[in-house]
Amino acid sequence: MSLTRRLFLASALASTLSACGLPRGGPPPRANEAEIAALARAIAALSPSVSAEEAARAARVTYEETYRLALAYEITDPPLIHNSKVNAGLRSRGLCWHWAEDLQKRLSAENFATLDLHRAIANGDNRLIIDHSTLIVSAKGADMMDGIVLDPWRGAGVLFWSTVRDDPRYDWEPREEVLRRNGRVRYVRAGMTDD
């Protein structure tokens, strides 16, 4: 498809979807201390083995990195409109898996001793609905399903979080299982991403 046609389709889609979303016309707001503290309490409550210091640090880094990435990705629109811009070549990053990958990289640099990070995909077996990727934090050694979803994509740079089991919108599966089932696991092993 030609660049002109892609840009036209992206523009048409953006116009249509902007009626559904509430574009800000600018970057998302920074998180406040109450939001950071609420996430820190939720992470600490995952298990008595979770360090309160690590929970607080994970929460702060998650919110700070979400804001930094929103600026880097030039997020000013609802997620699907931004996706159309990325797919049309108007933005370089900002798809859900970019958020998950970049947030995981930043949080992994913290070398948490009492927390684990997991990648997850929802709608991975549904060809009618686009799959969605996220990052999950859990207590060290715990199952991903007992963790907390960290999803900046769905709020267009405003962090959404909830326990995995209480996520009102998505049913999450381990990323590697979805990629293996769909024949894409070779990318994970090669250190590449395509989700």
Side-chain angles (χ1 to χ4, degrees):
M1 180 182 307
S2 73
L3 178 58
T4 304
R5 183 168 168 81
R6 284 194 327 221
L7 291 175
F8 172 78
L9 290 174
S11 176
L13 178 62
S15 297
T16 302
L17 291 176
S18 65
C20 301
L22 299 172
R24 291 181 297 265
R30 282 186 174 273
N32 61 47
E33 290 300 317
E35 291 170 313
I36 296 168
L39 178 56
R41 284 190 301 274
I43 294 171
L46 289 171
S47 169
S49 67
V50 172
S51 156
E53 182 278 326
E54 285 195 356
R57 186 163 31 111
R60 182 162 303 281
V61 168
T62 297
Y63 271 108
E64 287 174 356
E65 186 66 1
T66 293
Y67 184 74
R68 189 193 73 74
L69 290 173
L71 296 178
Y73 296 163
E74 301 176 79
I75 302 292
T76 58
D77 300 298
L80 294 178
I81 294 173
H82 188 82
N83 278 15
S84 69
K85 289 179 178 181
V86 172
N87 291 330
L90 301 173
R91 296 285 192 274
S92 62
R93 290 182 73 78
L95 303 177
C96 61
W97 68 268
H98 294 142
W99 285 101
E101 179 176 76
D102 292 345
L103 188 55
Q104 179 183 21
K105 183 178 179 181
R106 177 60 187 90
L107 285 168
S108 291
E110 293 296 313
N111 295 312
F112 295 118
T114 65
L115 298 171
D116 280 337
L117 302 172
H118 312 265
R119 290 284 296 279
I121 297 176
N123 303 323
D125 59 353
N126 189 332
R127 298 292 177 209
L128 299 175
I129 301 173
I130 299 170
D131 63 22
H132 180 44
S133 295
T134 200
L135 182 67
I136 294 171
V137 62
S138 74
K140 186 79 170 175
D143 186 90
M144 172 191 101
M145 296 303 291
D146 296 321
I148 294 173
V149 172
L150 304 174
D151 185 2
W153 177 85
R154 79 175 84 171
V158 175
L159 182 68
F160 167 88
W161 62 268
S162 81
T163 61
V164 175
R165 296 180 199 280
D166 293 330
D167 189 332
R169 191 164 172 190
Y170 295 105
D171 293 321
W172 297 104
E173 295 181 82
R175 175 177 180 253
E176 187 142 342
E177 286 179 22
V178 173
L179 295 179
R180 184 178 298 112
R181 185 174 63 234
N182 294 338
R184 298 187 298 177
V185 76
R186 67 185 174 279
Y187 292 103
V188 175
R189 290 199 181 114
M192 300 162 54
T193 56
D194 75 335
D195 59 320

